[in-house]
Amino acid sequence: MIQIESLFKAYGNIKAVNGISFSVKEGDLFSLLGTNGAGKSTTIGILTTLLAKTSGAVTVGGIDAAKNPERVRELIGVVFQESVLDDKLTVRENLMVRGSLYGLRGARLKSCVNEAIRLTALGELDTRLYGRLSGGQRRRTDIARALVNTPRLLFLDEPTTGLDPKTRRDIWRLIRNLQKSRGMTVFLTTHYMEEAAESDDIVIIHKGEIKARGTPTQLKAAYCTDLLKITTTDGRYNEYKLRSTLEALPIIERHKENIANVEIINGTLDDVFLNLTSGKNSLCEFFPPTDSTAAAGGMN
């Protein structure tokens, strides 16, 4: 669905995006992760035709984004970090206005708006002013706006920032349902690693360059560790960093005669992210990727 090759974007002497290459499969939930200033929003800006690239190749749905930006826009929907809707219009009025900008008219426009409202469960709110909605309701309306043109590809630029945990969960339930029911490709940027953990594929970008790519499981296996904590009956406390939880078994076996307490803490995407972007370890000690994730033995 997306193909990026050697993409550069410079602002004067600053390389916001520095020669990155990756692809996104159709129907996948793809996450682009990075700290503020890493190049995430610049990359999305280029993919959505809002920014011009300095060099490189970008295709969306097989279409060259630089040569045919209008055709690319027909394929995509975008939920921006900040809302672009009008506080003084109702939910339905906002969607009708945005739908008309895609060239939708008459019965076709009404049908597309009705479908977007249905998919986002906004039926009871469609006559309410956008400015009087709660944060979660506003976000659902933003998603509905992005769905009016029936996109094949949905961009979500930090869609749940500032929302409470329950509302974030509800928004993500909606997004996953849309992806599964419509076969939609979803391109996500987020600061919440638990959201990225549901991804089919992840790219971590730092200072405009790709630091790692893989599934959540692959990234945790390559760039993070589990932690085994053992307290023995004589009061001694030991910690072991592990490439995989299975490495804990022989260590526990060695101590089985005098174990008072055992705790295993699994590495997370937070650990991977911090390890790759800050140089600081949380739980984990960095293990370079190898051809095998087989255990080499615990480390005390």
Side-chain angles (χ1 to χ4, degrees):
M1 192 61 181
I2 295 173
Q3 184 72 45
I4 293 177
E5 296 180 3
S6 301
L7 178 63
F8 284 86
K9 176 62 177 178
Y11 298 96
N13 294 325
I14 300 174
K15 295 178 180 178
V17 176
N18 191 16
I20 65 174
S21 300
F22 64 86
S23 59
V24 179
K25 292 181 181 179
E26 187 165 6
D28 272 4
L29 170 56
F30 176 91
S31 289
L32 182 64
L33 307 182
T35 57
N36 289 333
K40 305 188 304 299
S41 292
T42 298
T43 301
I44 283 188
I46 293 169
L47 286 169
T48 57
T49 75
L50 296 176
L51 291 175
K53 67 182 188 297
T54 300
S55 63
V58 176
T59 60
V60 178
I63 300 167
D64 188 306
K67 293 180 179 179
N68 296 290
E70 292 296 333
R71 288 187 61 197
V72 168
R73 291 170 195 157
E74 293 173 359
L75 300 178
I76 66 174
V78 187
V79 178
F80 299 99
Q81 292 183 36
E82 301 295 331
S83 175
V84 294
L85 297 182
D86 193 326
D87 285 349
K88 296 183 178 180
L89 295 181
T90 67
V91 167
R92 179 173 291 275
E93 288 168 344
N94 267 297
L95 299 184
M96 294 290 285
V97 169
R98 266 53 187 189
S100 68
L101 297 178
Y102 285 103
L104 300 173
R105 297 290 185 271
R108 175 62 176 161
L109 172 58
K110 184 177 180 181
S111 174
C112 288
V113 168
N114 286 341
E115 178 66 2
I117 289 173
R118 184 190 69 80
L119 289 169
T120 51
L122 287 168
E124 295 182 357
L125 300 170
D126 67 337
T127 59
R128 187 175 301 182
L129 293 178
Y130 181 78
R132 294 184 180 178
L133 300 179
S134 69
Q137 292 167 344
R138 289 167 69 98
R139 220 53 180 143
R140 281 162 53 202
T141 306
D142 295 338
I143 294 171
R145 177 201 54 78
L147 297 175
V148 165
N149 62 318
T150 318
R152 291 171 54 196
L153 171 61
L154 180 64
F155 288 93
L156 302 170
D157 195 4
E158 299 182 16
T160 61
T161 298
L163 299 180
D164 63 83
K166 181 183 181 304
T167 303
R168 280 171 50 203
R169 182 193 65 195
D170 292 343
I171 292 296
W172 267 103
R173 184 181 293 119
L174 166 62
I175 292 167
R176 292 191 191 100
N177 286 341
L178 287 170
Q179 183 200 8
K180 292 176 181 177
S181 65
R182 304 185 69 178
M184 184 183 298
T185 308
V186 178
F187 188 111
L188 168 72
T189 71
T190 181
H191 286 302
Y192 300 112
M193 294 301 106
E194 70 270 21
E195 295 179 348
E198 301 292 329
S199 302
D200 298 298
D201 197 12
I202 295 173
V203 164
I204 296 177
I205 187 173
H206 186 56
K207 296 182 179 179
E209 299 180 352
I210 292 176
K211 302 294 289 185
R213 178 180 182 174
T215 67
T217 299
Q218 289 170 338
L219 290 174
K220 286 186 284 187
Y223 297 99
C224 198
T225 67
D226 294 337
L227 184 65
L228 169 65
K229 297 181 179 182
I230 293 179
T231 304
T232 56
T233 53
D234 59 5
R236 296 183 62 186
Y237 174 76
N238 298 277
E239 285 189 357
Y240 301 84
K241 292 187 174 72
L242 316 171
R243 287 182 184 268
S244 73
T245 304
L246 289 177
E247 291 187 13
L249 297 177
I251 301 172
I252 294 172
E253 179 67 20
R254 291 202 306 268
H255 293 282
K256 67 179 182 179
E257 299 300 330
N258 63 338
I259 288 179
N261 186 63
V262 173
E263 182 179 8
I264 297 177
I265 303 175
N266 296 118
T268 66
L269 276 181
D270 283 298
D271 300 317
V272 173
F273 184 77
L274 290 171
N275 206 18
L276 288 170
T277 61
S278 70
K280 297 179 181 179
N281 296 330
S282 48
L283 279 184
C284 52
E285 176 175 310
F286 172 62
F287 286 106
T290 63
D291 292 334
S292 172
T293 56
M299 295 179 294
N300 182 228

